[in-house]
Amino acid sequence: MFRFVLRRLLEMIPVLWVIVTATFFMIRFVPGGPFTAEKAVTPEVLRNLEAHYGLDRPLSRQYLDYLGNLLHGNLGPSFKYANRTVNEIIADKLPVSLELGLLSLAVALSLGLTLGILAAIRRNTGIDYLCSSVSMTGICVPTFVLGPLLVLVFAIHLGWVNASGWYGPADRVLPCLTLGCVYAAYIARLTRGGMLEVLGQDFIRTARAKGASETRVVLRHALRGGLLPVVSFLGPAIAGILTGSFVIETIFQIPGLGREFVNSAFNRDYTLVLGTVILYAALIVVLNLVVDVVQVWLNPKLKFE
Amino acid sequence: MRRPSVLRLLSSALSLLALTGCWSRESPVQAGNRTQILHRSLGADVAELDPHVATGLPELNVVSTLFEGLVAEDPQDLHPVPGVAERWDISADGLTYTFLLRTNARWSNGEPVTARDFLASFRRVLTPSFGADYADMLHVVQGAEAYHRGQMADFAQVGFAAPEDRTLIITLEHPMPHFLSLLSHPVWFPVHLPTLEKSGPSAQRGGSWTRPESFVGNGPFNLREWRPGKTIVVEKSPHYWDAAHVRLQAIYFHPADSVEAEERAFRAGQLHITEALPVSKVDTYRRDQPGVLRISPFLDTYFYRLNVTRPFLNDRLVRRALSRAIDRTALVEKVTRGGQQPAHSFTPPNTAGYELPAGLADDSAAARELLAAAGYPGGRGLPAFDLLINSSGNHRVIAEAVQEMWRRELGVTARLVNMEQKTLLSLRRTRDYQILRSDWAGDYLDPAAFLGIFTSGSGNNHTGWASADYDALIYEAARTPDTAARHALLRRAETILLAEVPIIPVFHYTTVRLVHPAVRGWHDNPLDHHPYKQVWLEP
């Protein structure tokens, strides 16, 4: 397993290099630049600004400089936020996105697994239909509808929590619930399907025949196999929660990295675009690796190779 | 009507739950009213608090609380009132301004604000390598332009002098009657050089001095907290010369890049003042809560630029036809719906007493005649053209309305091309367009802030239109000390602009926002400037 992980980590390097290179040149070929504005700056000012940020040098030279700085962990200064470096912005905002993502994931898992297991063991009963309808609704209602609805009820009419912002623990409730619910719906459906498949297999009958309690059969024997589809879903889902938090961050005005990821492209903040892309790319590669490891651990039919 | 009633039922059930559960919470606005803490939304996030680098409106809002220039603005009509300078003398020829600084003007670290601080700050702005966006506002000072362009190396030759700690003399290149109102722009604010130099060369962007731990300003408020994307907190400064009259204890600025989220936060009691209001909500507030809705003219014109170097748009008759075929009244009443004024001039109304030229009235019959005279009766023979818009706000619906008016009245086909803002701006720079949506906000209350951009040498013209007569009038106006004579020259220039139609003015903007009734001393004005030292809360 150690060799497997090591090999995969080494494979990450060329992948990231390709991503950095492609992003570096693509963002430069997009029309407009960091200093393009409705009120045009004078050509002299523009020249001085470009000289200050080294944008007047040949592109190949800038690329090599960037790679050199990157190897030292230096992502450069931000163009839009003149007194901040990209490292600082990421250090400031990534924890917020991570907190939002992890809490939402906790909501998604606890809600999704409960609904999915309930639906599977009470198959084709009222409970199953109820759980399935709830999760179907969750899939159909987009976050930009659910979020404002929750705000309307709990923040504006009831006044229990803030409508937006990220100040106290209470401010975590609505965004995490909104983001979590959508993923909970998918997890519930996947869990139900996975559980049903496992519950019909011979080793479950054997476990029952040996006198194992129903709780033990479900939680110990069936759940392990039933979780497999959920685990393969979680890899991309976690990446989606982290990178796709843009909508939630906008609805609830959360100072996370998702908004910077999107807005940096509009601002042509070259270094911030690169910094966030590299970070998210690395996260996705690592998360896929984790999912692979967990899958082998859960499924005795798979081996590291 | 089924859905709303279900929602109402649900929320009233939950409200009942809340009442019986005794779950009452003091909202930030209620707490703020008690403790004189104002919560205001900013629109976009603040990029920079260095007054010489900051450009956007959110930045100007915060910066204006942290610094003070030689003169300040009256909260109602923005006329210049004493700031750091307690009085000033203007020489008879209108060229020399002598400012006497207050003895009790202090930096937030307690040190006195001196004339030398101003001198060093102006020098910083004009340093060529610094690249201050608004440095050209200082070009009216003698020698400043040459120094800024690097043609002159000796700053002592520039028309700034500080013979004593309290005396600052500014000598202008030519008389400028509205010079004092320029001085409340942040590019004229002083910065504390010793603090800047701690984190590197002073004339360099990106120094860390604007962070709360090292910040030094001279305004009524001081920076306490700056958490990007979250809040900027400024608190009353004890060192400010007029601290006795500052009633707010602190201001919380909240960045908000979604107008919908802003409106929800206002309703949830988190904001006293929003930056904007979604168009779809304007009618609801007009009907249900007219007391909190504030609509006020804003010094900003929405217009289309025409590329006069392109075939058939180089024909003045075609341009005039396109302009006259637009029913601007219908547009502002049916489409934009936020109290905007139909624009027949480029300069907005109520700009420092300037009387607007008549411009071209909306008249579809006249428009058809113009087009026929140009050789395209009923639009026949006129190829379809592109109207470029950027994909935000309601630019698309406005353009669709205009497109339909042109089709119906003139029989011409406009294709709408939607693109992202910076892509649009780069096409504007290379003049690779036919018609392009634009807007222009004045930096100070004067028609020159608008008309100056269409001179042939202006970096903001972008239309390819040039008129020697227009240039001469603008040049002459800038050197005319008498206001009435100056306005007359500017009006003649604008008349040329409007007759030639390198631009089609569409409407003059308004600010549309929600303001909590407890907010006092907040006056609507065309620049949307609100001197916070005169704002207070009274529930």
Side-chain angles (χ1 to χ4, degrees):
Chain A
M1 181 182 140
F2 177 71
R3 287 187 52 183
F4 171 79
V5 172
L6 190 72
R7 210 188 66 217
R8 287 284 295 267
L9 285 177
L10 285 176
E11 279 171 11
M12 237 174 96
I13 296 169
V15 170
L16 286 181
W17 174 74
V18 169
I19 290 172
V20 170
T21 309
T23 315
F24 184 92
F25 289 102
M26 268 179 351
I27 186 76
R28 291 310 178 89
F29 294 140
V30 176
F35 311 114
T36 311
E38 183 69 46
K39 255 175 207 157
V41 293
T42 60
E44 293 93 10
V45 169
L46 186 66
R47 257 201 310 281
N48 285 316
L49 285 173
E50 289 183 340
H52 176 70
Y53 289 103
L55 294 177
D56 52 345
R57 279 178 245 166
L59 200 56
S60 54
R61 170 78 195 282
Q62 292 181 43
Y63 171 67
L64 292 178
D65 285 351
Y66 186 80
L67 283 189
N69 287 334
L70 188 61
L71 287 179
H72 294 96
N74 176 6
L75 296 169
S78 158
F79 291 94
K80 160 123 172 124
Y81 304 100
N83 73 345
R84 282 172 194 272
T85 63
V86 174
N87 292 55
E88 282 175 304
I89 294 174
I90 289 179
D92 197 42
K93 303 204 161 173
L94 181 65
V96 175
S97 284
L98 283 182
E99 189 185 345
L100 171 67
L102 291 177
L103 287 174
S104 308
L105 199 67
V107 171
L109 280 174
S110 47
L111 218 72
L113 288 180
T114 316
L115 284 177
I117 294 171
L118 274 178
I121 55 179
R122 296 276 180 270
R123 187 183 178 185
N124 294 340
T125 64
I127 294 178
D128 182 13
Y129 298 140
L130 184 72
C131 293
S132 302
S133 331
V134 168
S135 59
M136 206 58 215
T137 317
I139 291 174
C140 296
V141 178
T143 47
F144 58 82
V145 172
L146 183 61
L149 258 177
L150 291 177
V151 168
L152 198 64
V153 175
F154 292 101
I156 295 175
H157 284 282
L158 297 177
W160 288 355
V161 286
N162 283 331
S164 58
W166 193 254
Y167 309 102
D171 295 325
R172 272 66 171 167
V173 177
L174 294 187
C176 295
L177 208 62
T178 312
L179 190 55
C181 274
V182 178
Y183 286 92
Y186 284 100
I187 291 173
R189 294 190 64 78
L190 287 171
T191 312
R192 180 179 178 273
M195 287 290 284
L196 283 179
E197 199 188 318
V198 176
L199 280 172
Q201 284 185 12
D202 288 346
F203 74 94
I204 296 292
R205 200 179 332 152
T206 314
R208 287 205 175 111
K210 284 168 77 179
S213 71
E214 189 60 24
T215 324
R216 195 179 159 84
V217 168
V218 171
L219 292 184
R220 181 84 191 228
H221 298 282
L223 189 60
R224 186 163 165 179
L227 276 185
L228 277 175
V230 178
V231 171
S232 9
F233 169 73
L234 276 184
I238 295 176
I241 285 184
L242 290 178
T243 54
S245 51
F246 171 69
V247 176
I248 294 287
E249 286 178 14
T250 306
I251 295 173
F252 293 100
Q253 299 295 309
I254 299 168
L257 201 58
R259 277 203 280 169
E260 297 302 335
F261 181 48
V262 176
N263 290 335
S264 61
F266 290 125
N267 293 331
R268 306 287 191 276
D269 197 339
Y270 299 143
T271 43
L272 190 54
V273 170
L274 276 163
T276 44
V277 166
I278 294 168
L279 179 82
Y280 282 136
L283 264 178
I284 290 171
V285 176
V286 169
L287 284 172
N288 280 336
L289 175 61
V290 171
V291 167
D292 286 351
V293 171
V294 172
Q295 265 182 334
V296 176
W297 175 65
L298 281 176
N299 189 348
K301 290 177 195 160
L302 294 176
K303 277 205 175 64
F304 293 114
E305 46 175 82
Chain B
M1 288 309 281
R2 235 175 95 207
R3 267 205 318 215
S5 66
V6 170
L7 195 72
R8 205 167 299 146
L9 202 71
L10 184 75
S11 58
S12 50
L14 284 164
S15 312
L16 201 70
L17 202 78
L19 282 175
T20 49
C22 296
W23 236 90
S24 84
R25 202 176 64 104
E26 191 183 37
S27 73
V29 162
Q30 288 163 338
N33 290 347
R34 207 162 33 75
T35 51
Q36 292 295 324
I37 292 177
L38 180 77
H39 291 271
R40 134 148 232 189
S41 169
L42 276 183
D45 199 4
V46 164
E48 178 52 271
L49 289 179
D50 181 335
H52 301 158
V53 176
T55 50
L57 275 179
E59 285 81 4
L60 299 190
N61 249 300
V62 184
V63 164
S64 71
T65 66
L66 299 173
F67 296 90
E68 187 175 60
L70 291 165
V71 302
E73 290 169 319
D74 175 81
Q76 296 198 33
D77 63 5
L78 304 179
H79 75 261
V81 295
V84 173
E86 71 185 6
R87 57 192 164 81
W88 49 83
D89 290 315
I90 307 172
S91 65
D93 57 4
L95 286 176
T96 311
Y97 286 68
T98 309
F99 295 91
L100 186 69
L101 273 52
R102 292 174 195 283
T103 44
N104 55 349
R106 292 272 181 280
W107 293 102
S108 55
N109 61 4
E111 290 174 24
V113 180
T114 66
R116 275 192 299 275
D117 289 324
F118 277 94
L119 217 60
S121 303
F122 297 152
R123 180 181 191 152
R124 175 177 192 247
V125 171
L126 290 173
T127 303
S129 62
F130 182 49
D133 294 38
Y134 279 100
D136 52 357
M137 270 184 114
L138 274 66
H139 285 183
V140 61
V141 177
Q142 205 171 62
E145 186 169 359
Y147 183 82
H148 184 225
R149 292 190 194 279
Q151 296 152 353
M152 184 174 85
D154 184 11
F155 187 70
Q157 306 278 317
V158 182
F160 296 114
E164 292 167 60
D165 269 2
R166 288 184 59 205
T167 312
L168 182 73
I169 302 172
I170 302 182
T171 313
L172 304 187
E173 194 83 46
H174 54 77
M176 186 187 235
H178 59 289
F179 176 66
L180 285 174
S181 50
L182 248 57
L183 294 180
S184 44
H185 189 280
V187 79
W188 292 91
F189 288 172
V191 293
H192 191 248
L193 267 292
T195 302
L196 268 66
E197 278 153 6
K198 280 184 206 154
S199 66
S202 63
Q204 189 175 313
R205 346 186 113 218
S208 57
W209 70 276
T210 49
R211 303 197 181 187
E213 57 275 15
S214 44
F215 185 87
V216 174
N218 73 328
F221 296 87
N222 195 25
L223 186 63
R224 186 171 82 201
E225 207 179 296
W226 179 8
R227 308 172 79 178
K230 216 168 178 179
T231 35
I232 294 182
V233 183
V234 300
E235 61 187 356
K236 183 178 166 177
S237 166
H239 294 292
Y240 181 62
W241 62 269
D242 200 15
H245 292 106
V246 179
R247 290 161 83 173
L248 286 178
Q249 291 301 313
I251 308 171
Y252 281 62
F253 291 103
H254 304 270
D257 46 16
S258 150
V259 275
E260 285 83 10
E262 233 182 9
E263 191 262 346
R264 290 194 293 266
F266 182 86
R267 282 163 75 188
Q270 285 173 261
L271 290 176
H272 284 106
I273 299 163
T274 68
E275 180 57 24
L277 183 70
V279 181
S280 59
K281 300 268 185 185
V282 174
D283 289 340
T284 317
Y285 274 94
R286 248 192 208 126
R287 194 181 57 230
D288 301 341
Q289 282 174 279
V292 299
L293 178 67
R294 294 275 193 107
I295 296 183
S296 134
F298 183 47
L299 200 67
D300 192 342
T301 301
Y302 189 106
F303 66 101
Y304 291 133
R305 276 190 166 89
L306 308 180
N307 185 349
V308 303
T309 59
R310 287 295 177 93
F312 87 85
L313 280 179
N314 53 12
D315 186 341
R316 195 173 73 114
L317 294 172
V318 175
R319 301 199 299 265
R320 287 171 72 100
L322 290 175
S323 180
R324 301 199 78 169
I326 299 174
D327 182 352
R328 293 166 174 82
T329 311
L331 203 66
V332 297
E333 280 171 5
K334 302 285 192 299
V335 182
T336 63
R337 304 209 312 269
Q340 291 85 352
Q341 288 282 318
H344 295 102
S345 61
F346 185 51
T347 312
N350 305 318
T351 306
Y354 169 73
E355 194 191 317
L356 297 176
L360 295 174
D362 305 350
D363 185 340
S364 46
R368 277 190 292 273
E369 281 168 26
L370 282 164
L371 200 63
Y376 312 101
R380 279 188 298 279
L382 196 67
F385 51 87
D386 290 342
L387 167 56
L388 272 50
I389 50 173
N390 53 315
S391 36
S392 68
N394 50 3
H395 304 323
R396 179 165 199 106
V397 275
I398 294 168
E400 277 167 354
V402 171
Q403 178 191 38
E404 173 57 20
M405 288 168 189
W406 282 341
R407 191 197 62 77
R408 197 180 56 213
E409 306 300 342
L410 300 177
V412 303
T413 313
R415 286 183 301 251
L416 301 190
V417 185
N418 206 7
M419 55 180 67
E420 179 261 352
Q421 166 84 343
K422 291 221 176 187
T423 312
L424 182 96
L425 294 180
S426 78
L427 291 179
R428 186 186 72 175
R429 193 174 57 80
T430 52
R431 224 188 291 145
D432 194 6
Y433 70 91
Q434 289 171 296
I435 302 181
L436 179 141
R437 185 211 83 82
S438 299
D439 66 81
W440 186 263
D443 290 314
Y444 49 93
L445 210 50
D446 192 272
F450 283 83
L451 301 176
I453 73 168
F454 288 109
T455 54
S456 50
S458 158
N460 282 306
N461 183 324
H462 303 299
T463 60
W465 180 75
S467 153
D469 291 344
Y470 184 85
D471 292 357
L473 286 165
I474 298 288
Y475 183 89
E476 202 186 327
R479 281 150 188 82
T480 306
D482 177 61
T483 304
R486 192 170 150 269
H487 281 185
L489 290 167
L490 289 171
R491 192 159 45 250
R492 274 171 61 198
E494 185 160 10
T495 308
I496 297 178
L497 181 77
L498 297 173
E500 291 281 321
V501 204
I503 53 160
I504 298 179
V506 183
F507 60 81
H508 303 295
Y509 272 97
T510 45
T511 51
V512 182
R513 62 156 58 96
L514 303 173
V515 177
H516 192 275
V519 178
R520 303 297 160 87
W522 175 279
H523 303 280
D524 295 326
N525 59 59
L527 278 177
D528 201 21
H529 286 185
H530 303 281
Y532 290 92
K533 65 183 260 195
Q534 273 114 335
V535 174
W536 77 99
L537 296 164
E538 204 169 284

